[in-house]
Amino acid sequence: MKKKLNDYKQLKKLTKLDHLKEITESKKPFIIYKSDKGFDLFTNFSKKIILTNKNIQNFINNITKNKSKRKDTDLFIGFFGYEILNNLIGVKIKRQKAIKFPKGIFYKPEKRIKLSTKLNYKPVKSIKFNKNFKINLNQDSYSNIFNKFKKKIKSGETYQIKICTKYKNVTQVDPLDFFCRLTKTNMAPEAFMIKDKNYSIISCSPENLITKKKDFITTKPIAGTLKKTKKLNKTKALTFFKKNIKETKEHNMIVDMERSDLSKVCRPGSVKIIKKKTVEEYKDLYHYVSLIGGKLKKKISSLDIIMAMMPGGSVIGCPKISTLNLLNAQEKEGRNIYTGSFGYINFNGDMRFNIIIRSILNYQNYSEISVASGVVIDSNAKHEFSENYIKAKALIDLYK
């Protein structure tokens, strides 16, 4: 009882202190990440590591050379982009149209502040946002790619594949304003934002890819999306998913693939489904979710875990490697952060990473929102194209 009272007093204190105003006025780079009890704000970065294909392995290996974790800032926090994760596991990407954004960036924070679940922030200045977006694939272009991949599914080259579409515009943004509004309208368990000098990322990602504590690791794949209506609730959504053959097939395939990825680093027989086929509710949709866990083998490194689990299979397709090759041969534009991973690695080896989806990348006043929907043998091109917009809508609405 006494502990709960102290937690309440601490939370009340946190809501009174205007850390968000303070960090904005300081103009320092910062990161905010959803935690169990609210949000964590990381700042006062002593190191900033820009990742390349040459330095990524040494960077990951060096984090845990000092096994002890004395402070809550004994960690590196940041993101791996899609391209660098492909290269890490030996999957090559042909030359694509790109905006020359870094392949990954990690920061060493010296300050960590706990924030409440209610983020209140008043923008310093008013910005008129450009609310008009261009999409890189219209319905016809999407359908052409969809039909090509349907043939690949029928020939057995893949069983499920995710077609990526991008919504793009040019405008200034206030990332903290966007993020605070997003947490009010579409709170997500893996929400985060990064604000640096020349870029920002705002995300309401719902999907955890890795949570590792000591010798236990979990992953929470999402496979199945249903648009919200006034007549639906979580119970009805669960009934829909269970009765829908297409959604069930898609979910089962992704769960099996994630179990397979975990098995690469876990002890034989230890990988289990902890929570099977539950529903999570968000602003515009419902998701079909499972939780899988396992006990790690001895002498498994952080690099071993990252190479086994990334890029996250639920947003790529199945089987992972052959599907990555099909996607990379088809896609004309670089994915940048999309379907990469954001999170942290503690000095003691514990880690938490999400999958970067439902995110805005704003780089030098260029914004892009990338989304994807899964194609299986029973899929319909028009439905999947519409599903992509449903996934992007909560983010597009921020510009209005």
Side-chain angles (χ1 to χ4, degrees):
M1 186 72 184
K2 190 176 180 181
K3 186 181 183 300
K4 284 186 178 179
L5 187 63
N6 288 337
D7 285 348
Y8 173 75
K9 285 179 179 177
Q10 181 68 13
L11 207 59
K12 203 169 180 183
K13 185 181 176 184
L14 291 171
T15 57
K16 286 182 180 179
L17 296 172
D18 201 343
H19 294 296
L20 298 183
K21 183 181 178 183
E22 186 183 300
I23 194 69
T24 303
E25 289 175 350
S26 75
K27 296 186 178 179
K28 293 178 182 177
F30 65 93
I31 293 171
I32 299 176
Y33 194 11
K34 183 77 180 72
S35 65
D36 290 338
K37 295 180 179 178
F39 292 89
D40 286 333
L41 187 154
F42 300 86
T43 188
N44 290 10
F45 301 125
S46 58
K47 291 181 181 177
K48 176 181 176 180
I49 312 294
I50 297 175
L51 297 181
T52 66
N53 292 333
K54 290 182 178 179
N55 72 5
I56 182 172
Q57 292 196 25
N58 282 338
F59 166 71
I60 296 168
N61 286 330
N62 287 337
I63 293 173
T64 54
K65 277 194 172 176
N66 179 2
K67 289 286 184 184
S68 62
K69 179 181 178 292
R70 299 182 185 91
K71 298 181 292 184
D72 64 359
T73 54
D74 284 348
L75 55 85
F76 274 88
I77 186 167
F79 70 90
F80 300 109
Y82 173 78
E83 183 187 337
I84 203 167
L85 291 175
N86 274 259
N87 189 80
L88 187 63
I89 59 172
V91 176
K92 302 302 178 187
I93 299 178
K94 67 178 184 179
R95 189 178 294 275
Q96 296 172 320
K97 185 180 177 183
I99 58 171
K100 295 183 179 178
F101 185 68
K103 292 177 170 67
I105 305 174
F106 275 77
Y107 304 82
K108 169 63 182 74
E110 300 302 334
K111 191 173 185 179
R112 181 175 184 170
I113 300 167
K114 294 194 176 299
L115 305 175
S116 73
T117 51
K118 294 182 180 178
L119 300 181
N120 296 311
Y121 167 72
K122 190 175 181 180
V124 178
K125 62 177 181 178
S126 178
I127 298 172
K128 191 174 182 181
F129 307 119
N130 175 13
K131 62 183 180 181
N132 299 313
F133 280 81
K134 291 181 179 178
I135 189 168
N136 69 330
L137 295 175
N138 59 26
Q139 175 75 70
D140 289 341
S141 299
Y142 182 93
S143 295
N144 287 336
I145 297 168
F146 179 94
N147 291 331
K148 282 183 189 176
F149 284 154
K150 237 349 188 6
K151 290 177 182 176
K152 300 292 184 184
I153 292 170
K154 288 177 180 177
S155 67
E157 291 181 58
T158 183
Y159 305 114
Q160 184 201 48
I161 193 164
K162 306 273 181 133
I163 303 174
C164 175
T165 55
K166 285 188 180 187
Y167 295 84
K168 302 181 284 187
N169 80 2
V170 177
T171 187
Q172 271 189 303
V173 300
D174 183 335
L176 186 54
D177 173 47
F178 272 27
F179 187 69
C180 291
R181 285 196 280 139
L182 195 59
T183 60
K184 289 178 175 68
T185 59
N186 198 41
M187 181 71 85
E190 288 292 332
F192 75 94
M193 71 160 289
I194 304 174
K195 171 71 172 72
D196 207 336
K197 289 180 181 178
N198 65 343
Y199 84 95
S200 61
I201 300 172
I202 305 105
S203 174
C204 57
S205 173
E207 187 159 0
N208 176 263
L209 179 62
I210 299 169
T211 296
K212 185 237 175 201
K213 292 180 181 177
K214 294 183 179 178
D215 67 347
F216 196 75
I217 184 171
T218 61
T219 187
K220 193 186 78 171
I222 293 174
T225 302
L226 179 62
K227 183 180 179 181
K228 284 179 82 171
T229 67
K230 290 179 180 179
K231 292 180 180 180
L232 277 176
N233 56 34
K234 284 178 76 173
T235 304
K236 289 179 179 178
L238 182 59
T239 302
F240 165 82
F241 284 128
K242 285 184 174 180
K243 289 183 176 180
N244 188 288
I245 295 171
K246 183 258 179 188
E247 298 289 354
T248 299
K249 277 183 182 178
E250 182 179 343
H251 192 89
N252 290 344
M253 279 191 280
I254 294 302
V255 167
D256 283 347
M257 182 170 60
E258 294 302 334
R259 287 168 66 186
S260 174
D261 284 351
L262 277 180
S263 295
K264 295 171 187 174
V265 291
C266 288
R267 297 178 192 182
S270 73
V271 176
K272 308 287 183 187
I273 298 176
I274 301 166
K275 287 184 183 177
K276 188 176 183 179
K277 295 178 179 175
T278 60
V279 169
E280 291 183 352
E281 181 179 0
Y282 296 92
K283 178 175 176 277
D284 299 304
L285 51 83
Y286 294 99
H287 273 318
Y288 208 20
V289 183
S290 289
L291 179 67
I292 312 162
K295 199 167 186 179
L296 289 163
K297 298 173 187 173
K298 289 182 179 180
K299 296 184 179 179
I300 286 292
S301 68
S302 296
L303 183 61
D304 292 331
I305 293 169
I306 286 166
M307 290 179 69
M309 300 301 294
M310 296 184 189
S314 67
V315 288
I316 301 300
C318 178
K320 188 192 284 186
I321 301 301
S322 61
T323 304
L324 282 169
N325 285 323
L326 288 172
L327 285 171
N328 296 338
Q330 173 62 49
E331 291 180 351
K332 304 291 188 285
E333 295 183 47
R335 289 193 172 198
N336 298 313
I337 62 169
Y338 181 64
T339 60
S341 283
F342 165 88
Y344 58 77
I345 305 174
N346 288 328
F347 288 3
N348 67 0
D350 287 352
M351 66 175 82
R352 175 186 168 198
F353 280 96
N354 67 21
I355 300 181
I356 303 177
I357 53 176
R358 316 293 149 77
S359 303
I360 300 168
L361 169 63
N362 187 272
Y363 177 56
Q364 298 176 340
N365 293 330
Y366 163 87
S367 285
E368 68 176 32
I369 300 167
S370 300
V371 286
S373 54
V375 180
V376 293
I377 195 70
D378 306 309
S379 297
N380 173 277
K382 189 175 180 180
H383 172 82
E384 300 303 334
F385 185 78
S386 299
E387 184 180 299
N388 278 351
Y389 177 73
I390 295 166
K391 290 174 177 176
K393 186 178 180 299
L395 297 168
I396 291 171
D397 286 347
L398 294 170
Y399 291 78
K400 293 178 180 176

